[in-house]
Amino acid sequence: MKKKITYLSNISLLCFILVSCSPKNNIEPIDLFNDVPPSWSQELPEMEKYTGNWWESLGDTLFTSYFDTFMNNNTNLLSTYQQLEIAKNSAQIRSAGIFPSLALNNSSNARKQNFSGFGFDPSLLGIGSGDSTNSSDSGVLSFSSNIFNLNLGFQWELDIWGKLLNARKSAWKDFEASSNELAYAQFSMMTRFASSYFQAVQLNIQKELSLEKLKTFEELQRIVLERYQKGIASSLDVNLAESSLAFQKVAVENAKIQSKAGIQLIEISLGKYPFGSLKLTKSLPKDFAHVPSGLPSNLLLRRPDLKAAILKVESSNYRVSEAKRGLFPSIALTGSAGTSTSDLKNLLDGDFSVFNIGANILLPVFQGGRLRANVRNSENQLTLSELDAINKILITFQEVEQSIENSISLKNQLLSIQDAVNSSESAYNLAVNRYETGLTNLITVLDSQQRWFDARQQKNIIEYQLLNSKINLFLALGGVFNDESKEEN
């Protein structure tokens, strides 16, 4: 008895040592990357608390209605839900090894055998061929049998060292990582749709500007022809006006093509046929969802894709533990219970019950280095997952910093381009008046007109870029934020 207690104590001590020596599985971002500054290099713009759904904060009801359709009909977005189910099922499959497996087996077997197959000659016993039941016309003695079996079998590997438990934890960590990756992918698709929609709006505005510019060329051609008929303008002015008008007609056609392509892209995203006839908002939003202030370290705890990278490190950690425990002996219990009879009607009769139970102990002695190579491979995978997480963290910081810088720069550009629009418009109007009075030439008018429309088109592009930069900043900061004021209530 004393030896038995000592043996059990040794086993318990060994298990405690193995558990104690297992690698740390809960990983924090700070464990991977410590060089995080206390604040962003530039102050985050618009620090007010964010309230409501970000797409509703744009104040564009038409876009909001399209966004709802996108959420319900977009094939890429809907596919992420199926991918999530696949990831969940895969985790369940991988983690099922820790439980015993049960299988119900029903079999029937009819058999006929002759004694010749055993090297036995019936004539040695004086058995002839007169028995029509047990012998054939050739005098070969045979017999037949029917066997019916109904068994419930089970197999269970005892997880003494925690190998299967670590495999289960690794599987569900992978599922959590997949969930976070898909959540971030969904939000990325949502922001891309918003960017694509307002790019289509921007292209449509460019088309309208091209049409407006075409009208100014037509008006300018009218003025030139009137002056030419009066003998004030030369044929050079007429040719310049006509060529400028022709070039602008080409520009209008190109603008129409680009605008229609942008609309078709939105229609496809909505699950509609790409007719290119979808109604769009007339102007770009001037306001956007506010984002909450926060430190860079908060980003590591908020972005789903970063959470996924950390979870993959934890999963790899569990895989290392699983691989190391694969070096130890494994014990599996096996058994079955049921009935076996030669008559089908007795299949459920307890008098014909049979059972067997056993235990298998597998001790790895020589595997050609496979098990230890598996341990090294798991450790290498852990290192790779850590490096990948660090890289994602650095890229994320870069995305936020770049989005902040872009927003600040684009705001400054927008102020300057607005001054350019105002000045070039005044210059164009003045040039037309001076041309009509003969105080300047047509080249000056055309140049001032080009500058005016270039400035307006550039202003439209910068407005879209600023809006898109804010969308990217919102995505880079981690997606959906909670409304703290509502939580307090």
Side-chain angles (χ1 to χ4, degrees):
M1 182 66 179
K2 185 177 180 180
K3 290 183 178 180
K4 184 176 181 180
I5 294 175
T6 304
Y7 175 74
L8 293 175
S9 299
N10 292 336
I11 292 295
S12 301
L13 179 61
L14 177 61
C15 292
F16 175 76
I17 292 173
L18 290 173
V19 173
S20 301
C21 294
S22 62
K24 181 183 177 184
N25 293 311
N26 293 326
I27 306 296
E28 295 295 334
I30 202 68
D31 295 331
L32 300 173
F33 191 76
N34 294 310
D35 188 18
V36 181
S39 61
W40 301 107
S41 60
Q42 295 287 343
E43 184 179 2
L44 276 172
E46 300 178 340
M47 294 297 188
E48 296 87 346
K49 290 181 180 178
Y50 165 66
T51 57
N53 294 326
W54 62 271
W55 57 90
E56 294 176 354
S57 68
L58 293 169
D60 189 333
T61 55
L62 182 59
F63 168 70
T64 300
S65 66
Y66 290 151
F67 194 88
D68 293 337
T69 304
F70 169 80
M71 294 288 288
N72 294 323
N73 294 350
N74 184 261
T75 54
N76 292 327
L77 192 63
L78 294 176
S79 69
T80 59
Y81 297 108
Q82 300 302 318
Q83 294 175 44
L84 183 61
E85 287 298 318
I86 292 173
K88 183 178 181 180
N89 294 332
S90 298
Q92 192 167 1
I93 292 170
R94 284 182 52 203
S95 63
I98 197 171
F99 301 109
S101 61
L102 299 175
L104 183 64
N105 177 43
N106 175 236
S107 64
S108 61
N109 184 27
R111 180 180 182 186
K112 182 179 180 180
Q113 181 68 49
N114 61 66
F115 284 101
S116 298
F118 299 99
F120 175 72
D121 186 358
S123 62
L124 295 176
L125 299 178
I127 302 175
S129 60
D131 189 349
S132 61
T133 303
N134 296 321
S135 62
S136 64
D137 294 339
S138 59
V140 178
L141 188 64
S142 64
F143 65 92
S144 60
S145 64
N146 295 314
I147 300 295
F148 301 94
N149 295 307
L150 180 63
N151 292 299
L152 179 65
F154 79 94
Q155 184 172 351
W156 186 17
E157 182 178 350
L158 301 180
D159 194 24
I160 298 176
W161 319 111
K163 180 183 72 173
L164 299 179
L165 179 61
N166 280 282
R168 178 177 175 82
K169 289 180 177 179
S170 173
W172 286 108
K173 285 296 180 182
D174 284 338
F175 169 67
E176 289 183 56
S178 298
S179 299
N180 280 277
E181 286 180 331
L182 290 173
Y184 194 71
Q186 288 175 344
F187 189 78
S188 179
M189 291 179 194
M190 292 157 62
T191 55
R192 286 202 302 271
F193 173 75
S195 296
S196 298
Y197 176 81
F198 289 111
Q199 184 177 36
V201 173
Q202 180 258 329
L203 291 172
N204 190 57
I205 294 174
Q206 293 282 30
K207 182 192 72 174
E208 295 299 324
L209 286 173
S210 293
L211 290 171
E212 184 180 343
K213 188 176 181 181
L214 180 63
K215 291 181 180 179
T216 62
F217 274 120
E218 292 173 345
E219 177 63 19
L220 188 60
Q221 184 189 43
R222 183 189 64 79
I223 295 173
V224 171
L225 288 176
E226 286 182 356
R227 289 175 57 79
Y228 178 74
Q229 291 172 357
K230 293 178 182 180
I232 302 175
S234 66
S235 59
L236 175 62
D237 288 354
V238 175
N239 291 331
L240 285 175
E242 290 179 348
S243 64
S244 298
L245 179 61
F247 274 117
Q248 187 55 33
K249 288 180 179 179
V250 174
V252 167
E253 292 301 320
N254 287 328
K256 286 180 179 179
I257 292 174
Q258 294 180 24
S259 176
K260 188 171 183 177
I263 295 174
Q264 288 174 325
L265 179 61
I266 301 303
E267 289 173 331
I268 292 174
S269 299
L270 297 176
K272 300 178 181 293
Y273 188 86
F275 287 109
S277 58
L278 190 72
K279 182 181 178 182
L280 296 177
T281 309
K282 296 298 182 181
S283 61
L284 294 171
K286 297 298 186 292
D287 196 10
F288 190 66
H290 300 312
V291 296
S293 60
L295 301 178
S297 57
N298 299 140
L299 188 67
L300 304 181
L301 305 175
R302 189 168 62 213
R303 272 187 55 155
D305 59 331
L306 292 188
K307 289 182 180 180
I310 301 302
L311 287 166
K312 286 182 179 179
V313 175
E314 295 182 15
S315 174
S316 297
N317 233 327
Y318 284 120
R319 288 181 187 272
V320 172
S321 300
E322 177 190 0
K324 287 182 177 180
R325 282 153 176 76
L327 299 172
F328 303 120
S330 62
I331 301 175
L333 299 179
T334 61
S336 65
T339 58
S340 179
T341 177
S342 60
D343 196 342
L344 182 60
K345 67 180 181 179
N346 296 325
L347 192 61
L348 301 179
D349 191 338
D351 292 338
F352 295 88
S353 62
V354 294
F355 76 91
N356 72 77
I357 188 169
N360 296 327
I361 301 178
L362 177 63
L363 176 63
V365 176
F366 178 74
Q367 298 285 333
R370 178 178 62 86
L371 296 180
R372 293 199 177 275
N374 188 41
V375 173
R376 293 193 299 271
N377 189 51
S378 299
E379 291 173 340
N380 293 337
Q381 187 61 46
L382 172 61
T383 302
L384 286 176
S385 62
E386 289 175 342
L387 293 174
D388 181 65
I390 293 172
N391 188 54
K392 283 185 180 295
I393 290 172
L394 291 173
I395 291 175
T396 300
F397 285 147
Q398 186 266 341
E399 289 174 353
V400 177
E401 293 283 5
Q402 185 175 17
S403 294
I404 296 173
E405 291 285 349
N406 287 346
S407 295
I408 295 173
S409 175
L410 289 168
K411 282 184 178 180
N412 294 332
Q413 292 180 46
L414 190 59
L415 293 175
S416 298
I417 200 67
Q418 183 61 57
D419 292 339
V421 170
N422 296 335
S423 299
S424 58
E425 181 180 10
S426 299
Y428 170 69
N429 292 330
L430 181 60
V432 172
N433 291 333
R434 290 174 65 86
Y435 177 74
E436 289 179 326
T437 57
L439 297 178
T440 189
N441 56 36
L442 184 62
I443 298 295
T444 302
V445 177
L446 293 175
D447 180 67
S448 61
Q449 181 198 49
Q450 186 66 38
R451 289 176 181 273
W452 180 36
F453 278 95
D454 283 350
R456 293 174 68 186
Q457 290 174 333
Q458 188 63 31
K459 177 176 178 286
N460 173 246
I461 293 173
I462 293 175
E463 286 176 339
Y464 166 71
Q465 289 176 340
L466 180 59
L467 176 61
N468 192 51
S469 178
K470 290 181 177 180
I471 293 175
N472 290 334
L473 175 60
F474 196 71
L475 176 64
L477 287 173
V480 178
F481 302 102
N482 294 325
D483 180 6
E484 298 177 5
S485 61
K486 289 183 180 180
E487 290 180 352
E488 292 173 358
N489 297 332

